[in-house]
């Protein structure tokens, strides 16, 4: 879809990113389906299934570039697993442990009564709550 590709290219350009073919193809996979959470591995599998010749390194680099540019948000559930979230609104997550799946929680559904003072020389950039679920 040409109009969609032009819209994605404009979105990348607006964030200061060059519009390379791999970036456009991955942006299409990431943003075509509304808000979603995706791991690098899942995106790589989707790219392969779509017949794209993109290396895993390109996937990781592109996801990190999109995060740095403010197109994605990284949600780290543990040291071994990061998800990339297309929903940039402030919100929290449930993490379904046995499925490896994130579910959005609206920001106002969690009340944070009190946060500690940040150490000297630092300010709090944000608070991401991950509530782990088991069956």
């Amino acid at each position: 879809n040409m109009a969609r590709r032009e819209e994605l290219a404009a979105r990348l350009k607006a964030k200061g990113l060059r519009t390379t073919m791999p970036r456009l193809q991955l942006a299409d996979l990431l943003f075509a389906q509304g808000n979603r959470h995706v791991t690098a591995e899942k995106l790589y599998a989707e790219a392969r299934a779509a017949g794209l010749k993109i290396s895993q390194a390109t996937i990781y680099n592109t996801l990190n570039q999109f995060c740095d540019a403010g197109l994605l948000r990284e949600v780290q559930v543990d040291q071994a697993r990061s998800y990339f979230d297309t929903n940039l609104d402030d919100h929290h997550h449930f993490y379904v442990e046995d499925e490896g799946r994130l579910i959005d929680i609206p920001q106002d559904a969690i009340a944070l009564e009190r946060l500690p003072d940040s150490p000297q020389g630092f300010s709090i950039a944000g608070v991401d709550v991950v509530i782990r679920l088991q069956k």
Side-chain angles (χ1 to χ4, degrees):
N1 179 331
M2 210 52 206
R4 173 147 183 74
R5 187 142 295 180
E6 285 173 20
E7 184 256 323
L8 288 170
R11 206 164 155 188
L12 295 180
K13 278 190 190 125
K15 295 293 187 175
L17 292 171
R18 284 188 315 109
T19 54
T20 64
M21 190 51 74
R23 279 185 186 153
L24 281 173
Q25 291 170 327
L26 292 174
D28 194 45
L29 286 175
L30 283 165
F31 303 117
Q33 304 167 40
N35 285 334
R36 59 192 301 234
H37 308 101
V38 65
T39 61
E41 296 75 21
K42 183 171 176 7
L43 187 60
Y44 180 65
E46 287 179 15
R48 301 284 297 192
L52 304 181
K53 304 273 187 274
I54 296 178
S55 71
Q56 250 176 321
T58 299
I59 300 268
Y60 280 101
N61 291 338
T62 303
L63 287 169
N64 287 319
Q65 290 158 354
F66 283 8
C67 282
D68 292 345
L71 290 166
L72 290 174
R73 199 172 113 185
E74 187 173 4
V75 180
Q76 198 157 4
V77 293
D78 56 43
Q79 296 220 305
R81 184 166 295 191
S82 276
Y83 289 82
F84 296 88
D85 193 346
T86 60
N87 180 354
L88 299 176
D89 296 335
D90 284 338
H91 65 286
H92 304 290
H93 294 95
F94 286 115
Y95 178 59
V96 184
E97 289 186 323
D98 56 344
E99 296 173 24
R101 182 166 60 101
L102 287 175
I103 301 167
D104 287 349
I105 302 172
Q107 176 81 7
D108 58 7
I110 293 180
L112 298 169
E113 293 297 315
R114 215 173 45 133
L115 293 175
D117 292 336
S118 57
Q120 190 169 352
F122 294 93
S123 62
I124 295 172
V127 177
D128 299 315
V129 176
V130 176
I131 299 173
R132 298 166 188 284
L133 302 177
Q134 298 177 327
K135 286 204 170 134

